[in-house]
Amino acid sequence: MSETEVTLQKFDVFLSFNGDDTGRNFISFLFTELIKKNVKIPPFKYDRQISPELERISPELERAIGGSRFAVVVVSENYSASPWCLEELVKVMEFVREGSITVIPVFYDVDPCHVRRQIGKVAEHFKMHEGREDHEKVLFWRQALKDLGNVSGICSSKWEDDSKIVDKITELISKNLMIDTTRINGSDLQGIYAHMKAFNRLLNLSSKKSVRVIGIWERGSKKRSVLAKFVYQNIHQHFESHFFLESEKMVYKDRHMLHLFEERMSQLRVKNKKVLLVADDIKKLEQFDALADNFNNFGPGSIVIITTQDKQVLSSSGINLVYEVEFQRFLEVHGHFRQLAFKEKDISAA
């Protein structure tokens, strides 16, 4: 990757870790899961373009850290022994103080108290650094590690195994990235988790029955699309194949895009596979009918989600499972009104 490419590209997560401790196990699992969720990660340390023997952080790496939304810092037994890791951490914490990045500390087989107070193994490492490094540089390292230790993080000793920690981190990052994306697009959906919880009642992800078709209806704004994207991001990993189709890219006039979609499904051999298909902002019954021709190829447990502002499209298509965004918002507003007017708990929310 060239310097120009790093300058222009924005990333989702920067990973800081000691490769000798965690590079072949925990980080390898975490990296794989993040990539599966389409999380953008800088290539440094994965393709060995940057050598750990370098004495200073390169401008490219510094821009990669500053261009990321999250930094996952895995503090393992020998993290504080590495000048390279500590230099990275100084840069990460600088961006944290500026408010441009969120840090997620992972204390991997390390007591957070030892990191914060710099005792035990950490004290031994810094004694070594003080005999070799510039005094001011070591002070910066100490402060960065202390600041990180004061951030609430994930302690591996409290988890059953590494896979649970990896799942927790990827879930946390994916949800926050999705919320950030909807806000950036100016389409934030108030109470997104409440909507997701209500929508889950229609999903039934454990079902082994035939294809389930679910509609999301809202008359006015694009909040139905925000919800559909949020649902897709949170459940697509449960399916063997998954697609998110936007109406603008599914023009029916000459069936060109539809043909490309059918060709893509054929290439992925979706026949009898568990498939998730989200078709966003369907405007005409003909669009749905054209897609429905493919549903017979989907395997048991497959789910199709259709969003539209025309309720007639759903009824004419025979879709009985419909989530009404506006109705859910009415219930929320009505519940708040009751609490204010009568100062009583809304029993429907229990």
Side-chain angles (χ1 to χ4, degrees):
M1 177 173 286
S2 70
E3 180 176 336
T4 303
E5 286 174 315
V6 173
T7 304
L8 296 176
Q9 189 167 354
K10 292 293 184 180
F11 301 102
D12 296 321
V13 177
F14 180 83
L15 299 177
S16 179
F17 59 95
N18 184 302
D20 292 334
D21 287 349
T22 59
R24 294 177 181 270
N25 42 67
F26 179 75
I27 289 296
S28 178
F29 301 145
L30 177 60
F31 181 80
T32 300
E33 288 304 309
L34 288 171
I35 292 299
K36 281 182 183 178
K37 287 184 173 287
N38 299 316
V39 174
K40 296 192 288 276
I41 304 175
F44 303 110
K45 284 198 173 183
Y46 306 109
D47 56 12
R48 300 180 182 273
Q49 288 186 29
I50 302 297
S51 170
E53 283 73 35
L54 291 178
E55 294 183 356
R56 58 184 290 273
I57 296 294
S58 69
E60 296 95 331
L61 183 55
E62 183 174 348
R63 281 191 287 270
I65 297 172
S68 300
R69 299 194 213 178
F70 293 89
V72 177
V73 179
V74 182
V75 184
S76 54
E77 182 180 10
N78 294 298
Y79 185 90
S80 57
S82 166
W84 177 259
C85 290
L86 293 171
E87 281 292 296
E88 277 187 349
L89 183 60
V90 168
K91 293 300 178 184
V92 167
M93 298 312 292
E94 283 179 6
F95 288 115
V96 169
R97 283 191 290 273
E98 291 174 6
S100 61
I101 192 171
T102 299
V103 66
I104 302 175
V106 179
F107 302 102
Y108 191 86
D109 291 337
V110 168
D111 188 334
C113 181
H114 289 189
V115 175
R116 186 167 53 252
R117 296 171 58 191
Q118 296 175 11
I119 59 177
K121 277 276 189 182
V122 179
E124 294 177 18
H125 295 156
F126 272 102
K127 186 175 181 180
M128 175 185 68
H129 293 320
E130 285 168 347
R132 300 176 179 176
E133 304 286 349
D134 176 75
H135 176 67
E136 187 175 359
K137 178 187 288 187
V138 175
L139 287 179
F140 278 117
W141 291 351
R142 282 189 177 277
Q143 187 61 50
L145 200 63
K146 181 180 179 181
D147 291 343
L148 182 75
N150 285 322
V151 178
S152 178
I154 296 172
C155 188
S156 65
S157 63
K158 297 180 180 179
W159 293 78
E160 295 177 18
D161 54 58
D162 286 1
S163 66
K164 297 289 194 303
I165 305 175
V166 168
D167 289 345
K168 177 64 177 178
I169 295 171
T170 52
E171 178 187 13
L172 178 66
I173 289 173
S174 295
K175 285 185 176 180
N176 278 280
L177 288 177
M178 178 58 70
I179 291 172
D180 287 348
T181 300
T182 59
R183 284 174 179 163
I184 290 170
N185 292 337
S187 303
D188 192 19
L189 182 63
Q190 186 177 12
I192 186 71
Y193 289 106
H195 284 278
M196 183 71 189
K197 185 177 180 180
F199 190 77
N200 274 338
R201 301 187 189 111
L202 301 178
L203 284 174
N204 193 12
L205 293 176
S206 61
S207 174
K208 301 295 183 182
K209 296 181 180 179
S210 57
V211 181
R212 294 165 60 82
V213 183
I214 305 170
I216 299 179
W217 173 76
E218 183 196 26
R219 186 177 16 245
S221 68
K222 293 286 187 178
K223 291 184 172 64
R224 60 185 179 277
S225 297
V226 176
L227 176 59
K229 289 175 183 176
F230 189 78
V231 171
Y232 178 83
Q233 182 68 25
N234 278 272
I235 71 172
H236 75 269
Q237 67 270 20
H238 297 289
F239 299 82
E240 295 174 279
S241 293
H242 47 85
F243 309 86
F244 191 101
L245 294 178
E246 298 177 77
S247 179
E248 292 77 9
K249 297 178 181 178
M250 194 177 59
V251 180
Y252 186 72
K253 292 177 183 177
D254 57 6
R255 293 179 60 88
H256 177 61
M257 288 307 299
L258 189 60
H259 172 70
L260 292 180
F261 168 65
E262 291 171 343
E263 190 177 79
R264 175 66 174 157
M265 287 202 299
S266 176
Q267 290 171 350
L268 292 176
R269 298 176 182 176
V270 300
K271 190 172 180 64
N272 296 324
K273 283 188 176 181
K274 186 178 180 181
V275 176
L276 171 66
L277 169 62
V278 177
D280 185 36
D281 200 21
I282 294 294
K283 295 180 172 66
K284 297 180 179 181
L285 181 61
E286 290 82 2
Q287 285 180 312
F288 175 80
D289 288 342
L291 287 173
D293 290 342
N294 299 282
F295 295 172
N296 289 333
N297 292 321
F298 296 174
S302 295
I303 292 178
V304 176
I305 298 174
I306 306 293
T307 81
T308 183
Q309 64 176 348
D310 186 352
K311 204 170 186 179
Q312 187 63 38
V313 170
L314 300 177
S315 58
S316 299
S317 304
I319 300 175
N320 299 317
L321 296 173
V322 179
Y323 182 80
E324 299 185 10
V325 177
E326 293 176 344
F327 179 69
Q328 179 67 22
R329 190 183 302 118
F330 167 77
L331 289 179
E332 292 171 358
V333 173
H334 182 61
H336 289 312
F337 174 77
R338 284 183 58 192
Q339 289 184 35
L340 289 172
F342 302 104
K343 294 184 180 180
E344 63 179 24
K345 182 179 179 181
D346 185 353
I347 59 174
S348 66

